[in-house]
Amino acid sequence: MAQMMINGKSTPALSGKTLDVLAPSDGLVYDSIPRGEAADVDLACSAARAALEGPWGRFSALERSRLLLNFSRKILDHLDELTDIEARDTGKPLTAARADITVLARYFEYYGGAADKIHGQVIPFLNDYSALLVREPLGVTAHIIPWNYPAQMFGRSTAPALAMGNAVVVKPAEDACLSVIRVAELAQEVGFPPGAINIVTGLGEEAGASLAEHPGIDFISFTGSNEVGIKIQQAAALNAVKCVLELGGKTAHVVFDDANFELAVPTIIKGIVQNTGQTCVAGSRLLVQKEIYTGFMAMLAEAFAKVRAGTPEMDANCGPVISEKQFRRVNRFIDAGINDGLEIICQGEILPGVPEGGYFIAPTLFSADDHSSDLLTQEIFGPVLVALPFSDEADAIRLSNATDYGLQGAVWTENGSRQQRMARGIRCGQLYINCFGAGGGVELPFGGVKRSGHGREKGFIALEELSTTKTIVQFYGA
Ligand code: NAI
Ligand code: MG
């Protein structure tokens, strides 16, 4: 049975309750996790506070830097083990799980390298005064992360927090969190003091909600659904703490008539099939200029039909979706698309030999005549791509922006002025031109506008989000 991590110790829930862990590729129970509740969250928050007031709070920037770098290497030393854990827990192909663990290590490498390079400022002020701006940790930071990339999300959220000297309390998702638990054990081995990294597993509405409203936290970051994100912001408001919200997206690829098809086609397919479409930045809409629509779609369909879904060991293009709930949700969207009159252009294949009870969905490419269907405005979170023709630049910008989300955008054209006009016109936090980075790029600031949330993760900017400033004014005259 997997355990939580509180104050440096692997521990069950105080209540002794557990939750089953299922493998998405066969739907069978193979482990359990503690069902943490408010009392467990309370212990974790107290342990984090004590760590800040104790040894962890006294770590110098250089010591934090070295510790994070050692942690990064430790994760890579356990690459095979963590890959297997992640693949089984999420159902993703082994190659993808391996890449995720490598990115997890990269987060600690990147922020380990940064930890001792954050400078304050000296501010010119009145004569005989010295004014300093110093960066300080926020304190106890809470991190509620989703199941689509458990290991990566742990790195993305906690590495900058730890680099800045915060103590973290993490509530990973009940649907997949075994890699996070194992990584937290490795953190203790590598020398994080007790309480610097705490993990409370459990249900969102229990452990998650208790953490979000706990008076002992100084910050909360959340990645997940829009609906829960709004609750998190409300909980944060009760304690007047800052929150960073990443609430998904509905990324559109915009393909103009002068695009490089050979470059665009495989990238667009990867952008929706990767992680079985369960990615906040999945490229789930495809806007194609009407003059090339038929030709481009023919080329895309030919490649899309070759996409395969399989178990982690089959190492296909994608795996199953995470749970029965998500399986039903994605299938509901596919049915709705058919009811809305969208045309299925082609489907990929579920590989023969996948277990009966697995949550497999055939990757599906739809074509639409207008932007009215829910499939074009809502986050499906499955391997479903919907294409639609557009007329000109203005139309492409209007359609790109025709959802409540604003996380990421992508433009395919060789015309440099048009690239720039599109980049300025699409409302989002990250925009790709003739390339697409679904989820990638530890170095690249990331986050949304509109209902995709606010605040930024990744890159150097995350270090600012995970810290605060103090202005120190000193009079040194006679
Ligand atoms: P969710 O938003 O319920 O879960 C995300 C995290 O929030 C999990 O750790 C969960 O335990 C926690 N949580 C749930 N309710 C909570 C509450 N009341 N208070 C505090 N924490 C809570 O997402 P769910 O239900 O797993 O998936 C539904 C949809 O959400 C997906 O189909 C997808 O559209 C979206 N989603 C987006 C993600 C992203 O990467 N932006 C990740 C996961 C889901
Ligand atoms: Mg939920």
Side-chain angles (χ1 to χ4, degrees), residues 144-149 153 156 171-175 202-212 222-229 231-232 246-249 278-281 322 325-326 329 379-381 405 407:
I144 298 181
I145 61 176
W147 41 261
N148 48 352
Y149 295 89
M153 290 290 173
R156 173 170 120 186
K171 209 303 279 177
E174 54 273 40
D175 287 318
L203 297 176
E205 52 275 27
E206 295 178 356
S210 305
L211 179 59
F222 171 82
T223 299
S225 62
N226 202 272
E227 174 201 357
V228 176
K231 289 186 192 165
I232 300 294
E246 198 266 81
L247 309 180
Q278 303 169 116
T279 306
C280 44
V281 289
I322 193 77
K325 179 185 121 177
Q326 290 302 110
R329 175 189 160 108
E379 191 173 52
I380 301 173
F381 238 53
Y405 292 107
L407 194 56

Side-chain angles (χ1 to χ4, degrees), residues 28 65 90 121 125 159 179-180 202 229 232 234 259 324 331 337 361 400 417 445 474:
L28 299 176
S65 168
T90 61
Q121 295 173 3
F125 193 49
S179 62
V180 173
I232 300 294
Q234 285 168 334
E324 198 193 336
N331 279 307
I361 294 175
S400 285
S417 318
Q474 179 189 12

Side-chain angles (χ1 to χ4, degrees), residues 157-203:
S157 204
T158 68
L162 293 163
M164 293 311 293
N166 300 284
V168 306
V169 180
V170 181
K171 209 303 279 177
E174 54 273 40
D175 287 318
C177 61
L178 296 181
S179 62
V180 173
I181 289 172
R182 182 67 186 122
V183 166
E185 289 168 3
L186 298 177
Q188 310 310 309
E189 288 174 25
V190 88
F192 279 93
I197 299 177
N198 304 279
I199 314 291
V200 182
T201 55
L203 297 176

Side-chain angles (χ1 to χ4, degrees), residues 1 4 12-19 32-37 40:
M1 186 184 104
M4 309 198 278
L14 284 170
S15 69
K17 289 187 213 162
T18 60
L19 295 167
S32 67
I33 52 166
R35 179 170 169 176
E37 292 169 324
D40 304 287

